[in-house]
Amino acid sequence: SFCPPTETYSFKFEKKYAKFGKLIITRNSERINEKLKEKVSKFDCFYIRSLSNNILACTIISMADHNQPVLLRCHQNATDLGDEYMNLYELSKEFACSIIAFDYSGYGMSTGTATESNLYLDVKSVLKCMIEYFEIPQEKIILFGESIGTVAAIYGATLYPKLGGLVLISPFILL
């Protein structure tokens, strides 16, 4: 069962037709401090149109070294990019890699309805964007899924067998 949370973030675009904006956390949290807010303000955000015609909210933490892998983070249920910012920051720091994360249809600022079929189309759409628009070689992409995100990550790995890796955190035992 899908449980989209109440939206916890917004995007801020400097110009009306800018391709990239900044992630703004709107939920008050004891984990947010000024130093972390400054780091989060460096997250670039963007939208893509999914293959199901929904608009997906995405964020990217880009590292200077483009030879490093890029993690595609598929988050757990009942969370969105605003809840994930701390995990994203820590993952990029710990693994010294770029990270792209997105909200599934119906989660956060993404449009549409949270369904299993949309989940598959969402991850397929983001992978297509990474490979075709950002021109990231498949071998440099590592799918990183947690809980319900493991379903998306495994599906993505079946579509692109040349991907650099697959990490599953708390996967389902039975589907």
Side-chain angles (χ1 to χ4, degrees):
S1 173
F2 293 91
C3 301
T6 304
E7 189 176 291
T8 64
Y9 66 95
S10 64
F11 287 170
K12 179 181 178 185
F13 291 90
E14 294 298 322
K15 297 178 183 173
K16 187 173 181 179
Y17 297 105
K19 289 185 179 183
F20 293 94
K22 296 297 175 192
L23 179 67
I24 308 295
I25 306 301
T26 57
R27 177 182 288 171
N28 289 329
S29 170
E30 64 279 353
R31 295 188 332 172
I32 299 176
N33 59 45
E34 290 308 311
K35 192 173 183 181
L36 188 56
K37 276 186 184 177
E38 181 183 326
K39 291 179 186 342
V40 170
S41 73
K42 295 178 181 168
F43 289 20
D44 284 319
C45 58
F46 58 98
Y47 294 107
I48 66 167
R49 185 167 300 280
S50 74
L51 295 168
S52 61
N53 213 27
N54 292 322
I55 303 297
L56 302 181
C58 306
T59 190
I60 183 169
I61 305 167
S62 186
M63 303 303 283
D65 185 356
H66 296 290
N67 291 319
Q68 293 296 323
V70 179
L71 288 182
L72 174 56
R73 170 79 167 139
C74 302
H75 63 69
Q76 66 271 28
N77 204 5
T79 191
D80 68 8
L81 291 176
D83 292 322
E84 282 290 295
Y85 74 92
M86 184 72 163
N87 292 335
L88 298 173
Y89 173 73
E90 291 298 327
L91 282 170
S92 71
K93 192 170 118 183
E94 183 70 27
F95 296 113
C97 65
S98 297
I99 297 178
I100 292 179
F102 66 102
D103 272 335
Y104 313 122
S105 295
Y107 284 68
M109 293 179 62
S110 293
T111 64
T113 305
T115 65
E116 184 177 359
S117 60
N118 277 342
L119 180 76
Y120 298 140
L121 292 171
D122 294 347
V123 73
K124 184 176 182 178
S125 302
V126 176
L127 281 166
K128 184 175 172 33
C129 173
M130 292 173 73
I131 294 164
E132 294 178 11
Y133 181 79
F134 289 113
E135 298 180 344
I136 301 168
Q138 288 184 42
E139 297 79 14
K140 291 199 179 288
I141 298 172
I142 298 174
L143 284 162
F144 189 104
E146 183 173 356
S147 186
I148 204 166
T150 62
V151 174
I154 290 168
Y155 179 72
T158 65
L159 298 173
Y160 296 96
K162 293 182 183 176
L163 293 177
L166 175 64
V167 177
L168 305 175
I169 308 293
S170 304
F172 298 129
I173 295 173
L174 298 172
L175 293 177

